[in-house]
Amino acid sequence: MQNSKRPDNGLSYTLRTAFSYWNRTLLYQLMFSFWYFLLFFVGYWYLLQHFGLWDLFMEHKELVQTDIAAFNKKVEEISRLPQARNFALAFLFLMALINPLAVGLYAIYRKIDLKEKINFTDVFAGYQGFAFFNFFAFHLFWIIIFTYANALLLLGIVWYFVTLFSIPLMFFMQIRAFEGISLTFKVLKKNFAVIFISMAVALIFGLSGFLLCGFGIFFTFPFIHAMIYTLYRQYFNEVK
């Protein structure tokens, strides 16, 4: 079984530990970012082409320079087409396929804890064996709920936090998704301030790479997962 614990260290320790994981694995995190954004943009482009949306957008590209309001109206009209709805559904599957990459980062951080040798193949730990289907199904479920919850910003944020540790719990403890949500909620109730501030710092730093000519995102984006793993390690015991 699993149980949660309160760490002996505070916010400063959490931040230092997360930065340590991130700093010690920059090469592997660069590889993670490369595959993440490559799959995202190639997949996004393919779906636009497959459903014929790119050609529809290009028919009105001149409006971007002459009448942006008219262009936005055309985009709104296109978004109501059946193929646009099919694109949106396919995009959910694309994101569910890409997001198991994060499991590889958690596997790498764990090898640091165990002082084991890290291999480049560890980046793809989330795609190994039957567990991949569990991660894929969870991410598909997650993004569907988030899409609807995000209509109200507060609900989207709530959903993000109550599922914050679901993937590490599924990967390291082999528990079911809903049990992971329950355990995450229990930890949040006791340690919300530290977790919220830590994740706020992680998100700000993770997205700050856009300011470095955009390329910096390849280095900073994985820091979000370094923070999630740090918090997971502090608040959960893995009892065999």
Side-chain angles (χ1 to χ4, degrees):
M1 294 297 293
Q2 313 84 24
N3 51 48
S4 59
K5 62 178 181 178
R6 185 177 184 86
D8 296 328
N9 304 281
L11 179 61
S12 61
Y13 172 82
T14 301
L15 296 176
R16 289 197 308 271
T17 304
F19 273 106
S20 176
Y21 283 123
W22 173 75
N23 186 54
R24 295 169 65 183
T25 56
L26 285 177
L27 182 60
Y28 301 99
Q29 294 182 102
L30 180 61
M31 183 178 177
F32 160 84
S33 295
F34 170 80
W35 283 107
Y36 186 96
F37 290 111
L38 177 66
L39 292 172
F40 177 86
F41 287 113
V42 170
Y44 191 83
W45 170 259
Y46 171 79
L47 294 177
L48 283 176
Q49 294 281 357
H50 179 74
F51 292 104
L53 297 178
W54 181 255
D55 292 336
L56 292 176
F57 288 132
M58 287 298 97
E59 291 177 5
H60 310 289
K61 63 180 181 179
E62 69 281 354
L63 293 176
V64 174
Q65 296 179 335
T66 60
D67 192 343
I68 191 65
F71 178 77
N72 290 336
K73 185 177 180 180
K74 290 296 182 181
V75 170
E76 185 178 347
E77 293 174 358
I78 293 173
S79 68
R80 291 196 291 265
L81 296 174
Q83 55 264 45
R85 292 193 291 269
N86 293 335
F87 166 83
L89 179 61
F91 180 74
L92 298 182
F93 278 86
L94 173 65
M95 295 307 299
L97 180 64
I98 296 174
N99 281 323
L101 275 170
V103 175
L105 292 180
Y106 301 142
I108 289 171
Y109 302 146
R110 176 52 54 89
K111 281 195 170 184
I112 290 178
D113 291 340
L114 298 176
K115 296 180 173 58
E116 295 179 355
K117 182 180 179 180
I118 301 173
N119 300 306
F120 283 105
T121 55
D122 292 328
V123 174
F124 305 104
Y127 296 91
Q128 298 174 6
F130 185 80
F132 160 73
F133 297 99
N134 291 330
F135 300 135
F136 174 83
F138 173 79
H139 280 113
L140 183 59
F141 166 73
W142 187 93
I143 197 170
I144 290 174
I145 298 298
F146 182 78
T147 299
Y148 286 100
N150 207 41
L152 297 173
L153 181 61
L154 182 60
L155 289 181
I157 295 174
V158 170
W159 179 242
Y160 179 83
F161 275 96
V162 299
T163 57
L164 189 63
F165 303 116
S166 293
I167 292 299
L169 286 167
M170 291 171 63
F171 181 57
F172 294 117
M173 296 188 182
Q174 290 80 50
I175 67 172
R176 295 182 178 180
F178 286 104
E179 184 180 357
I181 293 173
S182 175
L183 290 172
T184 299
F185 183 72
K186 291 178 181 177
V187 167
L188 282 172
K189 287 196 301 183
K190 296 180 180 179
N191 310 281
F192 181 76
V194 172
I195 294 174
F196 180 82
I197 296 173
S198 297
M199 288 309 303
V201 172
L203 289 169
I204 292 171
F205 181 79
L207 298 177
S208 67
F210 279 120
L211 301 177
L212 302 175
C213 302
F215 183 77
I217 194 69
F218 282 83
F219 291 97
T220 60
F221 180 64
F223 179 73
I224 297 171
H225 298 293
M227 181 61 75
I228 292 174
Y229 177 78
T230 299
L231 292 168
Y232 163 81
R233 194 194 67 166
Q234 291 183 185
Y235 290 109
F236 292 93
N237 285 320
E238 296 172 7
V239 181
K240 299 182 179 181

